[in-house]
Amino acid sequence: PTIFDVGAHHGQTAKRFREIFPKSKIYTFEPFRESFDHLRHNTQGESNTKAFNFGLSDKSGILKFHSNPSSATNSLLSTDSEGAETWRQGLLETKEAVEAEFKTLDAVISEEQVSRVDILKLDVQDAEHLVLKGAVSAIEKGQIDLIYSEIITQPTYVDQKRLDVALGFFYDCGFDLHNIFNLSLTKNGRLRQVDVIFVRNK
């Protein structure tokens, strides 16, 4: 399969994809330079993996990107004041806003001459809807078969989508829910994050 790993961080999920699908072609995207350096190091020598030092969003260009103490929580969205209560202190409190490059998924598909994305993995800290807004052409042409995405359900980022709204956005893009798994709970037992798989409605 052809796999787009959007929000690849250090390449942990890309490594797992290579193990499951050894003949796959994997495109990894990470806008934060320090994380990208780890990603590039971890994918060196992997002829089936390409690493790009830019993220995907609803428009191409240089955008403000929030750098947090835990680089895995970096996001286009700023941190919600209740984020530390949802998770813990020292993870999300933005250190600085940096400039990072972003492109649309449609632009990448055109530039890389990709005919089909079998798996679109999204881990972009509640900016998943922005990635899909930049994939209008690919969605309309049925070029994306499956989406594997993280969805955050408790206050973490400013302007994040409620669970029902986030799920509805995938439905509106022509995808049906296949499964929900990897539930993460707060210390009080409230759902704060899930992974979801959506498949294209054929």
Side-chain angles (χ1 to χ4, degrees):
T2 296
I3 301 170
F4 274 30
D5 183 353
V6 186
H9 197 229
H10 295 171
Q12 305 94 319
T13 304
K15 178 181 178 182
R16 184 62 178 143
F17 279 137
R18 288 196 301 272
E19 294 170 349
I20 298 173
F21 307 109
K23 295 183 179 180
S24 61
K25 179 68 175 179
I26 304 175
Y27 298 79
T28 62
F29 305 89
E30 176 52 53
F32 188 57
R33 183 68 202 192
E34 183 178 320
S35 296
F36 173 75
D37 289 341
H38 287 284
L39 172 64
R40 183 170 55 182
H41 173 78
N42 291 335
T43 56
Q44 279 182 344
E46 299 290 346
S47 60
N48 66 335
T49 303
K50 298 184 73 171
F52 297 95
N53 188 200
F54 57 80
L56 299 188
S57 187
D58 60 337
K59 54 189 173 184
S60 297
I62 303 301
L63 303 177
K64 184 167 68 173
F65 192 60
H66 297 88
S67 170
N68 303 332
S70 171
S71 60
T73 72
N74 291 351
S75 178
L76 280 167
L77 306 184
S78 58
T79 303
D80 189 281
S81 59
E82 298 180 34
E85 184 176 341
T86 299
W87 300 92
R88 65 174 175 81
Q89 294 284 347
L91 288 179
L92 294 156
E93 297 82 354
T94 299
K95 297 186 297 183
E96 61 177 331
V98 300
E99 292 186 338
E101 183 181 3
F102 286 82
K103 294 185 179 183
T104 66
L105 189 147
D106 283 336
V108 174
I109 283 179
S110 176
E111 292 169 5
E112 296 295 319
Q113 298 182 337
V114 174
S115 61
R116 166 166 248 87
V117 179
D118 296 287
I119 300 174
L120 172 61
K121 173 260 183 178
L122 301 175
D123 186 356
V124 290
Q125 305 307 298
D126 222 67
E128 290 78 14
H129 63 289
L130 297 178
V131 178
L132 294 181
K133 284 182 178 179
V136 173
S137 178
I139 291 170
E140 289 180 347
K141 294 177 181 178
Q143 290 178 288
I144 303 171
D145 283 337
L146 181 149
I147 300 176
Y148 164 40
S149 180
E150 172 190 273
I151 297 180
I152 299 171
T153 62
Q154 290 298 312
T156 303
Y157 298 101
V158 174
D159 295 328
Q160 76 180 65
K161 304 300 181 185
R162 287 196 327 259
L163 177 60
D164 59 316
V165 175
L167 293 173
F169 194 84
F170 288 98
Y171 285 122
D172 291 343
C173 288
F175 293 87
D176 287 333
L177 180 65
H178 177 73
N179 202 355
I180 294 178
F181 56 103
N182 290 342
L183 279 63
S184 175
L185 307 179
T186 67
K187 60 184 178 181
N188 296 324
R190 297 192 69 178
L191 182 67
R192 65 183 178 185
Q193 181 176 294
V194 295
D195 287 340
V196 295
I197 289 179
F198 279 90
V199 293
R200 182 165 58 88
N201 185 350
K202 298 178 181 180

mmCIF file of all heavy atoms in Angstrom, residues 85-86 153-154 183-193:
data_model
loop_
_atom_site.group_PDB
_atom_site.id
_atom_site.type_symbol
_atom_site.label_atom_id
_atom_site.label_comp_id
_atom_site.label_asym_id
_atom_site.label_seq_id
_atom_site.Cartn_x
_atom_site.Cartn_y
_atom_site.Cartn_z
ATOM 1 N N GLU A 85 -4.932 20.172 32.953
ATOM 2 C CA GLU A 85 -5.854 19.375 33.757
ATOM 3 C C GLU A 85 -6.240 18.092 33.029
ATOM 4 O O GLU A 85 -6.410 17.034 33.650
ATOM 5 C CB GLU A 85 -7.106 20.192 34.083
ATOM 6 C CG GLU A 85 -8.082 19.478 35.001
ATOM 7 C CD GLU A 85 -9.260 20.350 35.382
ATOM 8 O OE1 GLU A 85 -9.170 21.586 35.246
ATOM 9 O OE2 GLU A 85 -10.276 19.787 35.826
ATOM 10 N N THR A 86 -6.371 18.190 31.707
ATOM 11 C CA THR A 86 -6.698 17.011 30.912
ATOM 12 C C THR A 86 -5.549 16.014 30.903
ATOM 13 O O THR A 86 -5.749 14.805 31.008
ATOM 14 C CB THR A 86 -7.036 17.408 29.469
ATOM 15 O OG1 THR A 86 -8.171 18.267 29.472
ATOM 16 C CG2 THR A 86 -7.320 16.189 28.603
ATOM 17 N N THR A 153 -10.656 14.365 22.905
ATOM 18 C CA THR A 153 -12.046 14.588 23.319
ATOM 19 C C THR A 153 -12.213 15.509 24.518
ATOM 20 O O THR A 153 -13.334 15.930 24.811
ATOM 21 C CB THR A 153 -12.714 13.237 23.648
ATOM 22 O OG1 THR A 153 -12.016 12.622 24.733
ATOM 23 C CG2 THR A 153 -12.668 12.298 22.442
ATOM 24 N N GLN A 154 -11.125 15.811 25.237
ATOM 25 C CA GLN A 154 -11.190 16.722 26.379
ATOM 26 C C GLN A 154 -10.344 17.957 26.098
ATOM 27 O O GLN A 154 -9.419 17.907 25.274
ATOM 28 C CB GLN A 154 -10.709 16.020 27.652
ATOM 29 C CG GLN A 154 -11.654 14.944 28.182
ATOM 30 C CD GLN A 154 -13.013 15.505 28.563
ATOM 31 O OE1 GLN A 154 -13.113 16.502 29.260
ATOM 32 N NE2 GLN A 154 -14.074 14.868 28.078
ATOM 33 N N LEU A 183 -8.374 3.739 23.769
ATOM 34 C CA LEU A 183 -8.982 4.785 24.582
ATOM 35 C C LEU A 183 -8.012 5.260 25.663
ATOM 36 O O LEU A 183 -7.391 4.453 26.346
ATOM 37 C CB LEU A 183 -10.266 4.273 25.243
ATOM 38 C CG LEU A 183 -11.543 4.264 24.392
ATOM 39 C CD1 LEU A 183 -11.409 3.326 23.199
ATOM 40 C CD2 LEU A 183 -12.740 3.873 25.239
ATOM 41 N N SER A 184 -7.897 6.577 25.808
ATOM 42 C CA SER A 184 -7.076 7.177 26.857
ATOM 43 C C SER A 184 -7.995 7.952 27.790
ATOM 44 O O SER A 184 -8.838 8.732 27.333
ATOM 45 C CB SER A 184 -6.021 8.107 26.257
ATOM 46 O OG SER A 184 -5.305 8.787 27.276
ATOM 47 N N LEU A 185 -7.836 7.738 29.112
ATOM 48 C CA LEU A 185 -8.725 8.345 30.094
ATOM 49 C C LEU A 185 -7.969 9.302 31.006
ATOM 50 O O LEU A 185 -6.770 9.148 31.252
ATOM 51 C CB LEU A 185 -9.378 7.258 30.955
ATOM 52 C CG LEU A 185 -10.091 6.120 30.220
ATOM 53 C CD1 LEU A 185 -10.650 5.118 31.225
ATOM 54 C CD2 LEU A 185 -11.199 6.654 29.318
ATOM 55 N N THR A 186 -8.689 10.311 31.517
ATOM 56 C CA THR A 186 -8.120 11.187 32.523
ATOM 57 C C THR A 186 -8.057 10.436 33.858
ATOM 58 O O THR A 186 -8.616 9.336 33.995
ATOM 59 C CB THR A 186 -8.971 12.454 32.704
ATOM 60 O OG1 THR A 186 -10.235 12.074 33.282
ATOM 61 C CG2 THR A 186 -9.216 13.154 31.372
ATOM 62 N N LYS A 187 -7.433 11.033 34.843
ATOM 63 C CA LYS A 187 -7.340 10.398 36.166
ATOM 64 C C LYS A 187 -8.720 10.229 36.795
ATOM 65 O O LYS A 187 -8.894 9.413 37.705
ATOM 66 C CB LYS A 187 -6.440 11.219 37.077
ATOM 67 C CG LYS A 187 -6.908 12.653 37.308
ATOM 68 C CD LYS A 187 -5.908 13.431 38.146
ATOM 69 C CE LYS A 187 -6.361 14.881 38.341
ATOM 70 N NZ LYS A 187 -5.370 15.661 39.145
ATOM 71 N N ASN A 188 -9.695 11.005 36.306
ATOM 72 C CA ASN A 188 -11.068 10.879 36.804
ATOM 73 C C ASN A 188 -11.918 9.932 35.968
ATOM 74 O O ASN A 188 -13.123 9.819 36.177
ATOM 75 C CB ASN A 188 -11.733 12.262 36.844
ATOM 76 C CG ASN A 188 -11.043 13.200 37.815
ATOM 77 O OD1 ASN A 188 -10.586 12.768 38.868
ATOM 78 N ND2 ASN A 188 -10.965 14.468 37.461
ATOM 79 N N GLY A 189 -11.291 9.273 35.002
ATOM 80 C CA GLY A 189 -11.998 8.289 34.203
ATOM 81 C C GLY A 189 -12.737 8.840 33.008
ATOM 82 O O GLY A 189 -13.522 8.122 32.382
ATOM 83 N N ARG A 190 -12.490 10.102 32.637
ATOM 84 C CA ARG A 190 -13.152 10.680 31.465
ATOM 85 C C ARG A 190 -12.329 10.395 30.216
ATOM 86 O O ARG A 190 -11.093 10.457 30.227
ATOM 87 C CB ARG A 190 -13.331 12.189 31.631
ATOM 88 C CG ARG A 190 -14.226 12.581 32.782
ATOM 89 C CD ARG A 190 -14.595 14.051 32.728
ATOM 90 N NE ARG A 190 -15.479 14.343 31.594
ATOM 91 C CZ ARG A 190 -15.980 15.540 31.339
ATOM 92 N NH1 ARG A 190 -15.677 16.573 32.118
ATOM 93 N NH2 ARG A 190 -16.785 15.727 30.318
ATOM 94 N N LEU A 191 -13.023 10.107 29.138
ATOM 95 C CA LEU A 191 -12.364 9.861 27.863
ATOM 96 C C LEU A 191 -11.691 11.144 27.385
ATOM 97 O O LEU A 191 -12.337 12.186 27.271
ATOM 98 C CB LEU A 191 -13.386 9.396 26.823
ATOM 99 C CG LEU A 191 -12.840 9.054 25.441
ATOM 100 C CD1 LEU A 191 -11.958 7.821 25.497
ATOM 101 C CD2 LEU A 191 -14.004 8.844 24.464
ATOM 102 N N ARG A 192 -10.391 11.064 27.097
ATOM 103 C CA ARG A 192 -9.683 12.262 26.635
ATOM 104 C C ARG A 192 -9.106 12.111 25.222
ATOM 105 O O ARG A 192 -8.774 13.100 24.572
ATOM 106 C CB ARG A 192 -8.567 12.636 27.609
ATOM 107 C CG ARG A 192 -7.440 11.622 27.715
ATOM 108 C CD ARG A 192 -6.412 12.040 28.763
ATOM 109 N NE ARG A 192 -5.345 11.043 28.890
ATOM 110 C CZ ARG A 192 -4.369 11.103 29.802
ATOM 111 N NH1 ARG A 192 -4.334 12.113 30.668
ATOM 112 N NH2 ARG A 192 -3.445 10.173 29.847
ATOM 113 N N GLN A 193 -8.980 10.859 24.746
ATOM 114 C CA GLN A 193 -8.412 10.656 23.414
ATOM 115 C C GLN A 193 -8.746 9.250 22.919
ATOM 116 O O GLN A 193 -8.790 8.303 23.693
ATOM 117 C CB GLN A 193 -6.887 10.819 23.456
ATOM 118 C CG GLN A 193 -6.176 10.646 22.129
ATOM 119 C CD GLN A 193 -4.699 10.922 22.259
ATOM 120 O OE1 GLN A 193 -4.279 12.061 22.527
ATOM 121 N NE2 GLN A 193 -3.880 9.901 22.110
#
